[in-house]
Amino acid sequence: MTAPRSPHRAWVEVDHDAIRHNLRVVRRLVPSASVIGVVKADAYGHGAVAVARTLVSEGAERLAVATVDEGLELREAGVQAPIIVLWGVGPDEAATMATGNLEAVVGDAHSIEALEVGGAPVGVHLKVDTGLGRQGVSPDAALESAAAIARSDRLTLVGTMSHLAVPGEDDAHTEVQLLRLARTLDAMRSAGIDPGVVHVSASGGILAGVAGPADAVRPGLALYGMVPAWAAGRAAELRPALSLKARAIRLFDLPAGVGIGYGLRYRAPRDTRIATLAVGYGDGWPRSHANDGFVLVRGQRAPIVGAVSMDGLTVEIGGIPGVTYDDEFVLIGEQEGARITAEEVAAERRTINYEVTTALRGRLPRLHLGTG
């Protein structure tokens, strides 16, 4: 896809054709499951509203966010699909949940009581902690919680869920988690309680081929063309959806021995040329990239040199002739057959690929391609 010329000095491009393709890949991997598209954290940095609209238009049955405010943002943008709030609801947010027609995740008596106090009807998903340990009711207490929801005049059990800790990495632990969930579901059904939509596998579970006792999946990472590190060999079909690009705001010659940037952390070993790009840690490109990492320009790699400041960084382009102010610099993405992936950038930061994209802040404009 050829992008129109961006009017910005630095920007993020989001390829919605890639997102559609990735959703189709997920459906091929789990053809019998409905899809809950995870768009929390601004759709992992890709732009929640635009991505949500694409996913819903392509048939995603539900969406998932982390907070009430993220859900309300989608509602205010006209997104009508069911939306799950994954990371808890406080007592002061209960009424807002109902107003926004949002579905809550509950995992203990406190969260159930908080929603009942709110006074308005709310659909809830009971989260069972089968072995991840962050959120959720224990399997031994799950039936009691499900019964409390079933008795409530204000709450409706629309789903039962869990989350896998090590899919694709520790099959024994994953099997234990799935067995605990299956036993919980059996107990609920034996007591006459409908668990609703059952969902356990996120992208890792999908790629590991772990279906479990579920009828829905929650892809997030895979929708954006990224995978956990262990699944790198299983990502051939997925297409990265995000690129980070910039144009130089200054091109200048740097004589040998002269330093640049805070702390003068880079001194030119020879006469060279420098490009200054308006991407810094205020945009989510951290200071750890001082004298570390590369960008692409004219299809060639150019090293990041010197300190990264809040609003900019510098690149050494002495070995790439002819660079002008019209050239695009690619920090994440592809150019003339060369590529810098989010995974490569993550390795430079000693982190994970989706922290890289999620860190890209809102002052970088999003240019959405292929939205129709």
Side-chain angles (χ1 to χ4, degrees), residues 11-25:
W11 68 97
V12 170
E13 288 180 5
V14 181
D15 181 353
H16 286 253
D17 285 341
I19 292 171
R20 293 185 187 93
H21 167 84
N22 296 334
L23 177 58
R24 290 193 292 269
V25 171

Side-chain angles (χ1 to χ4, degrees), residues 59-146:
E61 288 83 359
R62 265 183 170 82
L63 301 171
V65 297
T67 68
V68 174
D69 284 345
E70 287 181 340
L72 293 177
E73 178 189 19
L74 298 183
R75 288 288 184 245
E76 289 165 2
V79 176
Q80 298 299 314
I83 299 171
I84 308 171
V85 177
L86 296 172
W87 270 89
V89 178
D92 296 333
E93 295 177 312
T96 308
M97 287 285 298
T99 302
N101 191 25
L102 304 175
E103 298 174 352
V105 169
V106 296
D108 54 31
H110 173 74
S111 57
I112 293 171
E113 291 167 4
L115 287 168
E116 286 195 299
V117 168
V122 177
V124 300
H125 295 249
L126 177 63
K127 186 164 191 178
V128 183
D129 178 12
T130 58
L132 180 58
R134 304 177 308 179
Q135 290 178 292
V137 63
S138 71
D140 291 339
L143 180 58
E144 180 181 351
S145 294

